[in-house]
Amino acid sequence: MAMAMARLVRQICAALALFCVSLVTGDDPYRFYTWTVTYGTISPLGVPQQVILVNGQFPGPSLDVVTNDNLVLNLINKLDEPFLLTWNGIKQRKNSWQDGVLGTNCPIPPNSNYTYIFQPKDQIGSFTYFPSTALHKAAGGYGALNVYQRPGIPIPYPPPAGEFTLLIGDWFKTSHKTSRQTLDSGRSLPFPDGVIVNGQGHATFTGDQGKTYMFRISNVGLSTSLNFRIQGHTLKLVEVEGSHTVQNIYDSLDVHVGQSITVLVTLNQPPKDYYIVASTRFTKTVLTATAALHYSNSHTPVSGPLPAGPTIEVDWSIKQARTYRWNLTANAARPNPQGSFHYGKITPSRTIVLANAAPLINGKQRYAVNGVSFINADTPLKLADYFNIPGVFRTDSMQTSPSGGSPSIATSVIQASLHDFIEIVFQNNENTIQSWHLDGYDFWVVGYGNGQWTPASRSSYNLVDTLTRHTAQVYPNSWTSIYMSLDNQGMWNVRSAIWERQYLGQQFYLRVWNPVQSLANEYSIPSNALLCGKAAGRHH
């Protein structure tokens, strides 16, 4: 009798365990991928050149996942150089181990592999991935990362009849290795050779007359802001980098380097083909790429002049940026209104002012933040932090406001406390537009303004319904101000999304820290973590 009872208890426990597992996997399923990175020869602008392929594709495959999916992605590096992918805009909650930049990860050696394991936790929207190493981004290796809402959580618009992903960006015919040699020698890259859409000079997107389609648009280029528009059609903005927006209607939209937007387009015109246009902004020479919006019942090819867009007008772009508003009544990735945590009612505990500059250091072109030009260490900063390895980085090498003095080179880290609420001001005293990205976070873009930021500039902030995003533009001789809730412990890259500037030092790391070590704050080091530099041979 006792044995039978024990057997029954074991069966009940086993059934409960299976039930719990099914609940977990039912809510947060695992998705497994194997990606192989190789070189290939393609002609994006009509000239054969070496590009980086992911599973033989350029651009790489789209990662189409659902909020909170567990992604297990085995990346096999068949290049002749170490390689990493970073997941642009994915917060990597408590998990900077998976961020895929040289401050957090050892690069994957040639003919080796690394398995990323991460969740797009409580996020929905249009994002991207791309290489973070050795100017590989100039050769491609990028793709879309689209995160869909979970079943039962409504989105604030009717489901579209279909959707299209458009990866737009400037492109250089020069190989990434030659471009890297140019930068290493202390010279700047030349003006881009063209603009491409989904890796080519011309693409076609087909839809049915009368239906509404979603366009996910990301600027994956190296250096140039772009304006996006569709001949004869308007764009309804519905989402920006994970934020549902007030659904304003636009004739065209600026998309700066590293940014993503999502629009709805209704095919409400006579059946024919229409130009889709992406053209450069703030450049003396305007480069243009076209694609075609093809009505399925069309027998008429694209024709007529291209729809005109803005070219060098800065004020036009600032005014448009200020019209981006958060949809406070819509659900986010979780079933709660996006405005339930109100950023505008919190006083920041700290202000950090970051000024970009383009100094010559030792006769070579560099880029700097508050006078410090960043160089990568041989040991990822995250590993140095974890293993308490001294001499890899310092938290006092860069000031938290511009201080003048001679420019210097350092592996710069700013220290911050977990759960602080801070204000960051990006001050741009140069004549070129900047684009700033923060890994691990999104942030509220509370203000744009001309000239020098001062505390009095706060009177112009939008403290009601500005949206959150992960990449903010800073206009020439202007400032952009953001609020951030430091709720994600880790070592996080803060960088220029303009890749020449990032490569030559316009970046640093934000160490968001709590001295109490807890899995509630941060996950443990992955069992498969690659170890290199001074961390090689350590046990974890």
Side-chain angles (χ1 to χ4, degrees), residues 147-164:
V147 185
Y148 294 84
Q149 75 278 7
R150 301 169 83 171
I153 296 181
I155 49 178
Y157 47 84
E163 62 176 68
F164 308 111

Side-chain angles (χ1 to χ4, degrees), residues 246 321-328 342-346 421 423 443-448 457-468 479 481-483:
V246 173
R322 288 178 176 148
T323 67
Y324 285 18
R325 292 288 196 259
W326 215 13
N327 186 337
L328 298 181
H342 207 287
Y343 71 95
K345 292 182 166 52
I346 303 171
F421 189 84
E423 174 185 44
F443 46 74
W444 289 272
V445 186
V446 292
Y448 302 95
S457 305
R458 294 182 179 127
S459 64
S460 68
Y461 284 5
N462 175 0
L463 299 181
V464 178
D465 63 350
T466 194
L467 48 73
T468 62
W479 55 265
S481 189
I482 68 172
Y483 280 1

Side-chain angles (χ1 to χ4, degrees), residues 58-181:
F58 174 73
S62 289
L63 268 180
D64 294 320
V65 302
V66 175
T67 301
N68 292 7
D69 280 355
N70 295 281
L71 309 187
V72 182
L73 192 148
N74 181 25
L75 188 67
I76 302 168
N77 178 17
K78 292 292 186 182
L79 305 184
D80 56 358
E81 298 178 315
F83 184 81
L84 280 173
L85 285 178
T86 189
W87 317 97
N88 199 48
I90 300 301
K91 293 181 189 177
Q92 305 290 3
R93 297 287 304 167
K94 304 190 295 185
N95 200 18
S96 63
W97 302 107
Q98 306 292 341
D99 199 27
V101 291
L102 289 172
T104 56
N105 294 82
C106 295
I108 306 164
N111 295 309
S112 186
N113 73 298
Y114 174 72
T115 300
Y116 292 89
I117 303 173
F118 66 94
Q119 277 185 302
K121 179 74 173 165
D122 295 330
Q123 290 183 266
I124 54 175
S126 303
F127 305 97
T128 57
Y129 62 85
F130 58 77
S132 63
T133 41
L135 213 70
H136 288 135
K137 191 184 182 193
Y142 55 71
L145 204 173
N146 300 323
V147 185
Y148 294 84
Q149 75 278 7
R150 301 169 83 171
I153 296 181
I155 49 178
Y157 47 84
E163 62 176 68
F164 308 111
T165 295
L166 285 79
L167 303 175
I168 60 177
D170 55 16
W171 188 257
F172 296 77
K173 294 176 183 176
T174 310
S175 78
H176 73 282
K177 291 183 179 179
T178 301
S179 294
R180 192 167 76 217
Q181 289 169 355

Side-chain angles (χ1 to χ4, degrees), residues 47-332:
V47 176
Q49 62 185 117
Q50 185 185 71
V51 301
I52 292 175
L53 308 176
V54 182
N55 283 1
Q57 300 176 43
F58 174 73
S62 289
L63 268 180
D64 294 320
V65 302
V66 175
T67 301
N68 292 7
D69 280 355
N70 295 281
L71 309 187
V72 182
L73 192 148
N74 181 25
L75 188 67
I76 302 168
N77 178 17
K78 292 292 186 182
L79 305 184
D80 56 358
E81 298 178 315
F83 184 81
L84 280 173
L85 285 178
T86 189
W87 317 97
N88 199 48
I90 300 301
K91 293 181 189 177
Q92 305 290 3
R93 297 287 304 167
K94 304 190 295 185
N95 200 18
S96 63
W97 302 107
Q98 306 292 341
D99 199 27
V101 291
L102 289 172
T104 56
N105 294 82
C106 295
I108 306 164
N111 295 309
S112 186
N113 73 298
Y114 174 72
T115 300
Y116 292 89
I117 303 173
F118 66 94
Q119 277 185 302
K121 179 74 173 165
D122 295 330
Q123 290 183 266
I124 54 175
S126 303
F127 305 97
T128 57
Y129 62 85
F130 58 77
S132 63
T133 41
L135 213 70
H136 288 135
K137 191 184 182 193
Y142 55 71
L145 204 173
N146 300 323
V147 185
Y148 294 84
Q149 75 278 7
R150 301 169 83 171
I153 296 181
I155 49 178
Y157 47 84
E163 62 176 68
F164 308 111
T165 295
L166 285 79
L167 303 175
I168 60 177
D170 55 16
W171 188 257
F172 296 77
K173 294 176 183 176
T174 310
S175 78
H176 73 282
K177 291 183 179 179
T178 301
S179 294
R180 192 167 76 217
Q181 289 169 355
T182 298
L183 295 180
D184 289 343
S185 72
R187 293 172 292 144
S188 291
L189 294 180
F191 189 65
D193 294 301
V195 176
I196 56 176
V197 179
N198 290 352
Q200 54 191 309
H202 192 83
T204 299
F205 304 90
T206 301
D208 296 333
Q209 187 178 19
K211 293 183 178 178
T212 297
Y213 292 84
M214 174 181 282
F215 286 73
R216 300 177 181 270
I217 305 145
S218 297
N219 186 336
V220 294
L222 292 189
S223 62
T224 317
S225 298
L226 298 172
N227 180 267
F228 179 86
R229 53 201 182 273
I230 301 177
Q231 183 183 27
H233 294 74
T234 55
L235 313 172
K236 179 187 284 188
L237 186 69
V238 294
E239 180 256 328
V240 172
E241 294 162 20
S243 285
H244 291 313
T245 61
V246 173
Q247 294 173 16
N248 294 327
I249 306 294
Y250 300 89
D251 290 323
S252 71
L253 286 162
D254 280 352
V255 190
H256 306 281
V257 181
Q259 295 185 344
S260 297
I261 62 172
T262 303
V263 300
L264 296 179
V265 178
T266 301
L267 275 57
N268 55 6
Q269 297 301 306
K272 68 183 215 61
D273 292 5
Y274 295 86
Y275 282 114
I276 297 171
V277 181
S279 60
T280 58
R281 292 284 271 121
F282 320 120
T283 59
K284 292 178 182 175
T285 302
V286 177
L287 301 176
T288 300
T290 62
L293 174 58
H294 171 70
Y295 280 45
S296 58
N297 56 344
S298 162
H299 302 288
T300 307
V302 290
S303 62
L306 297 182
T311 54
I312 60 172
E313 303 88 349
V314 172
D315 287 347
W316 185 98
S317 190
I318 294 176
K319 287 178 182 176
Q320 181 179 88
R322 288 178 176 148
T323 67
Y324 285 18
R325 292 288 196 259
W326 215 13
N327 186 337
L328 298 181
T329 61
N331 286 331

Side-chain angles (χ1 to χ4, degrees), residues 329-365:
T329 61
N331 286 331
R334 293 173 294 185
N336 63 306
Q338 294 191 158
S340 59
F341 169 78
H342 207 287
Y343 71 95
K345 292 182 166 52
I346 303 171
T347 302
S349 59
R350 182 182 185 190
T351 297
I352 297 173
V353 181
L354 303 173
N356 50 268
L360 290 178
I361 300 179
N362 298 325
K364 291 185 175 183
Q365 178 68 66

